[in-house]
């Protein structure tokens, strides 16, 4: 069965510093990987995804993520954090096989960027 | 496009009452997902449809929960009878196909059962 782990409940970063939000996954075959962000009282917004190709993917608002197959990880990164980046971040995985597969989310990591 | 539209945004009901949540997916999207979000359990996939057909409902917690998708532009999630432990935010999401396509989420329905 596929699963996603986000080992940190919360990440605290000073504004201007780089940030990393961690994600590891487990699937039987190859994965499709996604990052979403949720602001208070809002739905989830898509940030970026990895399907195939370049292991470093770039997304919205200056975020990027690196796919590492050997470590089964897909960490979210940003070179310089903004206070407005403070939100709840979710990693998600779907198994890349034929047929219809579930989109499974991690528990979420709360990012707090301090001025 | 207006995005995924859910109604109502907020619902407060008494235990034992029937609750119906509604979702209009993005036009042209053929996959639809219902998720439930709580502090304790995070974001849980309840059921998903492809081309209006339920593909996997293994996440539906009990027989009190049912979901339908009578056409490509409308889906409902019904809870009957409702219980206080059903209180959560329920999200609908849609995507164009499966695989590497991302899902787009509605604003959610915050359900409170008292």
């Amino acid at each position: 069965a596929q699963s996603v782990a986000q080992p940190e409940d919360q990440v605290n970063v000073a504004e201007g510093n780089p940030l990393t939000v961690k994600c590891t996954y487990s699937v039987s075959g190859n994965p499709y990987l996604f990052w979403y962000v949720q602001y208070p009282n809002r739905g989830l917004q898509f940030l970026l995804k990895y399907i195939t190709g370049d292991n470093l993917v770039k997304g919205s608002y200056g975020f990027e993520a690196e796919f590492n197959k050997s470590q089964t990880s897909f960490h979210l990164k940003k070179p310089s954090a903004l206070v407005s980046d403070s939100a709840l971040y979710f990693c998600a995985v779907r198994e890349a096989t034929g047929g219809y597969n579930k989109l499974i989310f991690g528990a979420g990591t709360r990012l707090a960027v301090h001025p | 496009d207006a995005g995924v539209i859910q109604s109502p945004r907020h619902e407060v009901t008494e235990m034992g009452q029937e609750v119906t949540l509604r979702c209009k997916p993005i036009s042209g999207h053929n996959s639809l997902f219902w998720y439930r979000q709580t502090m304790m359990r995070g974001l849980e996939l309840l059921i998903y449809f492809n081309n209006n057909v339920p593909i996997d409902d293994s996440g539906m917690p009990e027989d009190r929960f049912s979901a339908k998708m009578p056409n490509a532009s409308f889906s409902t999630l019904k809870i009957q009878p409702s219980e206080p432990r059903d209180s959560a935010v329920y999200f609908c999401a849609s995507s164009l196909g499966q695989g590497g396509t991302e899902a787009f989420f509605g604003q959610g329905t915050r359900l409170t059962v008292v």
Side-chain angles (χ1 to χ4, degrees):
Chain A
Q2 59 197 83
S3 64
V4 179
Q6 294 182 241
E8 302 154 316
D9 290 337
Q10 179 153 331
V11 171
N12 297 298
V13 178
E15 187 175 31
N17 282 1
L19 69 88
T20 299
V21 182
K22 296 179 180 178
C23 171
T24 58
Y25 66 90
S26 175
V27 294
S28 301
N30 292 319
Y32 295 129
L33 294 156
F34 306 82
W35 274 103
Y36 285 80
V37 59
Q38 184 181 29
Y39 297 100
N41 300 314
R42 303 294 296 274
L44 278 70
Q45 297 177 31
F46 169 74
L47 277 180
L48 53 78
K49 66 182 178 183
Y50 170 81
I51 301 176
T52 186
D54 194 346
N55 289 342
L56 184 65
V57 294
K58 295 184 183 296
S60 307
Y61 312 120
F63 284 94
E64 58 188 29
E66 185 167 12
F67 171 63
N68 188 317
K69 188 171 183 177
S70 63
Q71 297 185 6
T72 61
S73 66
F74 189 57
H75 301 331
L76 182 69
K77 300 180 180 183
K78 187 173 182 181
S80 179
L82 300 173
V83 173
S84 57
D85 292 330
S86 298
L88 190 57
Y89 290 81
F90 290 93
C91 183
V93 66
R94 176 187 279 141
E95 189 167 346
T97 58
Y100 309 116
N101 296 310
K102 300 177 183 181
L103 181 61
I104 300 299
F105 285 82
T109 299
R110 188 164 300 281
L111 173 66
V113 182
H114 305 284
Chain B
D1 197 313
V4 176
I5 299 173
Q6 292 185 247
S7 64
R9 289 294 309 276
H10 303 273
E11 176 80 36
V12 180
T13 190
E14 292 185 347
M15 182 174 62
Q17 296 298 306
E18 175 182 303
V19 175
T20 299
L21 311 181
R22 297 172 176 79
C23 175
K24 177 180 169 55
I26 292 173
S27 177
H29 283 190
N30 60 351
S31 291
L32 183 139
F33 310 84
W34 282 101
Y35 288 89
R36 178 172 68 176
Q37 186 178 33
T38 61
M39 289 292 292
M40 292 297 295
R41 301 175 69 90
L43 200 61
E44 303 173 274
L45 176 63
L46 300 178
I47 185 172
Y48 71 100
F49 296 83
N50 195 75
N51 292 327
N52 312 337
V53 176
I55 301 300
D56 189 329
D57 65 354
S58 60
M60 297 285 262
E62 301 172 30
D63 291 344
R64 298 184 297 107
F65 286 70
S66 63
K68 294 182 179 180
M69 192 164 186
N71 57 61
S73 60
F74 184 64
S75 177
T76 60
L77 179 67
K78 182 182 293 186
I79 308 172
Q80 180 185 23
S82 58
E83 296 182 3
R85 60 193 168 119
D86 301 331
S87 298
V89 181
Y90 290 81
F91 287 105
C92 176
S94 70
S95 69
L96 181 60
Q98 291 273 310
T101 56
E102 60 271 26
F104 293 84
F105 280 73
Q107 298 277 49
T109 295
R110 182 175 296 277
L111 173 65
T112 303
V113 183
V114 298

